[in-house]
Amino acid sequence: MLVLNRFVVPPDTQDSFTGRAHAALAALAERPGYLSGRLTRALDDPAYWTLVTEWESVGAYRRALGGFDVKVHATPLLSESLDEPSAFETLASAGPGGAVEVTASDRAAEPWR
């Protein structure tokens, strides 16, 4: 599962933002089910940033959000991200030089239930 939080950060607040993002990333990295994470910035417009994390499952990510350090360091930062979908399930992947592997969706067939 991939979580992609996008931010628009004014130039005069980027130092503060990166410090808080590093703390958030460190808190998330300590949680069970965390696979990887990175803080990225757009090459074309340095005001645009993303915090990208990968998780074993949606359950692992949701449980991670309940951790004390995550509530203290990550949740306030994540609340500043753009209001858009941020959690994505992997439906296909390929390693370097590898074949595409298709994965079934974890979503319920009838999500309203």
Side-chain angles (χ1 to χ4, degrees), residues 76-91:
L77 182 81
L78 298 177
S79 71
E80 297 173 22
S81 67
L82 297 177
D83 186 15
E84 61 187 15
S86 61
F88 300 88
E89 64 178 336
T90 300
L91 298 177

Side-chain angles (χ1 to χ4, degrees), residues 15-50:
D15 288 343
S16 169
F17 172 80
T18 57
R20 295 183 302 121
H22 293 171
L25 190 56
L28 291 166
E30 293 294 321
R31 303 304 302 164
Y34 174 91
L35 299 176
S36 69
R38 57 199 166 275
L39 178 65
T40 68
R41 182 173 57 189
L43 294 173
D44 296 332
D45 187 340
Y48 286 80
W49 294 72
T50 62

Side-chain angles (χ1 to χ4, degrees), residues 1-5 58 61-62 84-89:
M1 183 190 140
L2 177 75
V3 179
L4 177 80
N5 296 98
V58 66
Y61 174 64
R62 289 182 176 163
E84 61 187 15
S86 61
F88 300 88
E89 64 178 336

Side-chain angles (χ1 to χ4, degrees), residues 90-106:
T90 300
L91 298 177
S93 61
V100 173
E101 296 180 28
V102 176
T103 306
S105 174
D106 284 338

